[in-house]
Amino acid sequence: MTKSVFYEDAYLTRIDATVTAVDGELIEFDRTIFYPMGGGQPGDTGFVTGNDGAKHRIIDTRKGGTPGSIVHQLDTTEHGIGVGDPLTLEIDWDRRYLLMKMHTGMHLLGSLIPVGVTGGAVGEDKSRLDFDLGEHQVDKESLTRELNRLVEEAHDVVIESIEEAELDTNPDLVRTMSVQPPRGAGTIRMVRIRDVDYQPCGGTHLRNTREIGAMRVAKIENKGRRNRRFHLVLSDEA
Ligand SMILES: [Zn+2]
């Protein structure tokens, strides 16, 4: 079991942790700020540094084989790290912050298109979100204008939780048609963008939509009779 500190504070860039398992280039710690790939968001990358000053690259982060465990993949098996070692973890913050901007922006896009979401992927350069659009009419210029209005309105983003039973009685809160939030813990993590969006989500988010800066719908792609793929990029020219 790894303590998921990124859920308490998505802005922590560095943390001390103790090694709990080593398997070749794969390392587990008692706690981490590295987000493991999931929910369309890629795993974090960064560095781990030992007391001896030796610094190793972490090239990916995934969920481990046991529930709640998180595995950090180093770029080498020749790291000399052992169970019990106290180490310092540091994420590639520039990349993670881009992913947080993109991820939060995808919530905004979802709020503007009131139909089911069929898929999505967050990337630092571009992101995509698929919708079961049907007869719904959209165009990328007006969507881009609306997106940037929501950015400039500076909506706070807060993390809440609800009981699983409460979600069961409000199934419309789940926007994704194919993926249901993980069950079994009794409560579900909810992300609220005040006055804009409210849905279950396990990713990392900004504190305020203003931090996105500017965002653009770069392309709307035809993916079948009803499905449309929306490509999002961060842009300086709003
Ligand atoms: Zn989210």
Side-chain angles (χ1 to χ4, degrees), residues 195-231:
D195 307 319
V196 177
D197 187 47
Y198 178 61
Q199 62 174 298
C201 189
T204 55
H205 306 83
L206 300 171
R207 294 184 183 122
N208 189 286
T209 61
R210 186 200 310 117
E211 293 176 58
I212 293 172
M215 183 163 249
R216 184 163 58 86
V217 176
K219 189 165 69 169
I220 303 175
E221 212 180 338
N222 211 329
K223 285 282 172 186
R225 199 168 58 85
R226 297 177 53 89
N227 255 307
R228 298 291 180 277
R229 173 164 294 176
F230 292 72
H231 296 262

Side-chain angles (χ1 to χ4, degrees), residues 103 107 191 201-203 205:
H103 184 127
H107 281 259
V191 173
C201 189
H205 306 83

Side-chain angles (χ1 to χ4, degrees), residues 33-104:
I33 50 174
F34 280 64
Y35 179 80
M37 185 184 82
Q41 186 176 327
D44 278 329
T45 58
F47 294 95
V48 59
T49 311
N51 283 339
D52 57 357
K55 193 170 185 174
H56 300 287
R57 271 202 70 82
I58 294 173
I59 56 172
D60 198 8
T61 310
R62 302 282 181 112
K63 288 174 180 148
T66 54
S69 72
I70 294 173
V71 175
H72 306 69
Q73 183 182 5
L74 270 58
D75 65 349
T76 175
T77 56
E78 308 289 310
H79 45 67
I81 292 171
V83 171
D85 287 357
L87 303 175
T88 302
L89 291 163
E90 191 181 349
I91 52 172
D92 178 345
W93 175 249
D94 289 345
R95 175 173 179 272
R96 159 72 93 69
Y97 195 48
L98 284 173
L99 293 171
M100 283 162 60
K101 289 181 180 184
M102 282 289 200
H103 184 127
T104 307

Side-chain angles (χ1 to χ4, degrees), residues 151-185:
V151 169
E152 285 159 23
E153 283 174 355
H155 296 272
D156 281 333
V157 183
V158 291
I159 307 301
E160 300 177 1
S161 69
I162 61 170
E163 301 296 319
E164 288 179 359
E166 194 182 338
L167 187 64
D168 289 337
T169 58
N170 295 282
D172 291 348
L173 289 176
V174 181
R175 291 292 308 279
T176 46
M177 296 166 77
S178 51
V179 188
Q180 286 288 321
R183 302 290 179 125

